[in-house]
Amino acid sequence: MPASTPVIELKDIQKTYRTSANVETQALKGVSMSVHRGEFVAIMGSSGSGKSSLMSIIGLLDRHFEGTYELDGQDITELSDNDLAEVRSQSIGFIFQQFNLLKRTTVLENVLLPTTYKSSSDDEHRALQAIKQVGLEKYINNHTNQLSGGQMQRVAIARALIMNPSILLADEPTGNLDHATAHEIMELFKAINRQGTTIVLITHEDDIAEYAGRKLSLYDGQFKKETTR
Ligand code: ADP
Ligand code: MG
């Protein structure tokens, strides 16, 4: 595979939701994008513009779309559901606005969650490394409901990092955080990106998108313009 092969290559993606026999919503109307390894890309857009729909497709959570998607040079439409799940768990880490942590469960247990599907002897070692990377080593045995919002998002980031994914996908990760905490979390993403992880981040806030190297704006299911810095 040539070094220039994009890690994510979407061509003319269209996504239509059918909620009933005669009601259709066209959430994505021909979206194309390429993301190269090590990039940090922000996808912006107002509510309903199609950000989460695009994220689900990029994250292999939704394979019901038109257009082509190559991940690491591989056409994902050719994969079985099982292979797709395997690629997803090995290659992609997810971070959401709502953190999606298990309550009454420790930080360590939450971070170990992705390994339960396929465990290996160094899981605990990797969990400790990920927890250190997000700065929560003092809280390893705390229950997640004893943590602040920013700390909870750090747990979610550590959980996304434990499988050493090549891509991190974050859907409005700072949407539930106060301004100062949001910027701390963005500094953490920036540090993770500097170590080589490709990041695609969804936000509707300009100051959050500023952390990315490139911004793409969705408007009514289509990219508006590309801004490169
Ligand atoms: P965003 O994340 O930018 O707010 P979404 O991708 O969630 O946008 O939604 C884009 C459009 O698709 C909206 O009109 C939304 O109502 C619609 N939509 C999203 N998910 C569904 C779904 N599961 N069923 C039907 N319509 C949906
Ligand atoms: Mg959304």
Side-chain angles (χ1 to χ4, degrees), residues 158-198:
R159 182 183 56 190
L161 289 173
I162 188 174
M163 302 304 280
N164 196 24
S166 45
I167 307 167
L168 276 189
L169 298 179
D171 193 349
E172 307 212 24
T174 61
N176 276 0
L177 304 174
D178 64 75
H179 182 83
T181 307
H183 285 270
E184 286 168 19
I185 291 295
M186 291 312 299
E187 289 296 342
L188 177 58
F189 277 119
K190 218 170 164 176
I192 292 166
N193 174 246
R194 275 196 216 101
Q195 291 176 15
T197 307
T198 306

Side-chain angles (χ1 to χ4, degrees), residues 17 19 25 27 45-54 172:
Y17 293 102
T19 38
T25 306
S46 56
S47 181
S49 59
K51 304 184 297 296
S52 294
S53 299
L54 182 57
E172 307 212 24

Side-chain angles (χ1 to χ4, degrees), residues 24 28 31 63 66 84 92 105 122-123 133 137 142 144 152 155 186 222 226-227:
E24 286 190 351
L28 298 172
V31 167
R63 64 185 309 176
E66 286 159 65
L84 206 63
I92 302 174
T105 305
D122 67 342
D123 289 344
Q133 196 174 351
E137 54 272 40
N142 284 58
T144 52
M152 287 191 210
V155 177
M186 291 312 299
Q222 286 180 306
E226 183 157 339
T227 318

Side-chain angles (χ1 to χ4, degrees), residues 42-89:
I43 295 175
M44 302 198 67
S46 56
S47 181
S49 59
K51 304 184 297 296
S52 294
S53 299
L54 182 57
M55 171 78 138
S56 296
I57 291 171
I58 295 173
L60 310 179
L61 296 168
D62 179 7
R63 64 185 309 176
H64 300 105
F65 58 85
E66 286 159 65
T68 61
Y69 178 11
E70 288 185 9
L71 179 64
D72 269 330
Q74 164 144 53
D75 180 352
I76 66 101
T77 59
E78 290 170 355
L79 297 177
S80 67
D81 285 349
N82 276 346
D83 288 345
L84 206 63
E86 176 81 12
V87 171
R88 184 169 59 233
S89 72

